[in-house]
Amino acid sequence: MDLRALAMGLAFAFMWSSAFTSARIIVADASPLYSLAFRFLISGLIGVAVARYMGQSWRLTRGQLKATVIFGICQNALYLGLNFVAMETIEASLAAIIASTMPMLVAIALWLVYGERLPRLGVVGLLAGVLGVALIMGTRISAGVDLFGVLLCGIGVLALTLATLALRGATSGGNYMMVVGLQMLIGSAVLFVVAPMVETFRLTPSWPLALAFVYTTLVPGLTATFIWVLLLNRIGAVRAATFHFLNPVFGVAVASVLLGEQLGLLDIVGVGIVTFGILAVQLARQSAHRTPKP
């Protein structure tokens, strides 16, 4: 892996992980689902405009269309929607840790659905990830964490796992930026329907809200996605996914610096174990993809 790919991977991991902190700031002054719906509307329109500028077509293959709809509903409406609602009552660092288990859940799903088995290192990584999450959740539950918020994050990460699996092969027909823009618009449409049913519109204008909204729209929403596309093209999906092991570290660090969220010793140990587990799973998958099948 060259230095440019390393820099791109680190930038992506940091931007992606910082979204939990900006979301926590947003929901303090605005309705979570309404604010997310507006964010996706803006991001989607920008994404489609960029795709058209790049010469990409509205016409998607049947596989792309199916994946775009599933991804828009599962990642944007369910995963992020549930996380935004959850962060009204739980800390951004905890939400980031729960969401960081996605690569391990994807590995389990690939084994159960597609028969993609993991080497021994991957199995060790899965067990370590479960242990780390259990350690963190044990300390948080004893401290009185809101279990309903944790449940929402758990359902959200399962939806993200489904969305990730649905995106397999979605870029085979090109038009990747168009797929990104359209799935954001689909998420926006779903949230604009659901939001009036489950929450009351709330908005308290403030500079932190404005800055966090602009940041989460342009940086984690669009810039991180663009860098991810470049990284996929440069080093491939399996190797690029290795950078997800940094998400719990960056997510916890940003929340600690900007929001002042405190971590206990067991939390730090748990984050370290989860980080090792994600890295082990990704390295095992990378090794499995390099090994030719008989």
Side-chain angles (χ1 to χ4, degrees), residues 145-209:
V145 70
D146 178 46
L147 293 180
F148 182 68
V150 173
L151 176 63
L152 292 180
C153 287
I155 298 173
V157 76
L158 290 176
L160 179 60
T161 301
L162 177 60
T164 302
L165 294 174
L167 201 60
R168 287 163 61 95
T171 60
S172 58
N175 293 328
Y176 184 80
M177 187 55 69
M178 183 63 73
V179 170
V180 171
L182 291 178
Q183 54 94 359
M184 289 182 178
L185 293 179
I186 289 172
S188 175
V190 172
L191 289 172
F192 271 123
V193 172
V194 174
M197 301 178 183
V198 299
E199 69 181 19
T200 302
F201 182 79
R202 171 176 59 88
L203 176 64
T204 304
S206 66
W207 280 114
L209 171 61

Side-chain angles (χ1 to χ4, degrees), residues 18-28 83-84 87 212 216:
S18 67
F20 296 95
T21 295
S22 59
R24 177 76 167 167
I25 296 173
I26 290 171
V27 300
N83 270 271
F84 263 57
M87 276 187 284
T216 195

Side-chain angles (χ1 to χ4, degrees), residues 66-90:
K66 178 182 177 181
T68 300
V69 173
I70 295 176
F71 203 73
I73 295 174
C74 290
Q75 172 175 284
N76 297 337
L78 286 175
Y79 164 66
L80 288 174
L82 291 171
N83 270 271
F84 263 57
V85 174
M87 276 187 284
E88 288 186 301
T89 57
I90 69 172

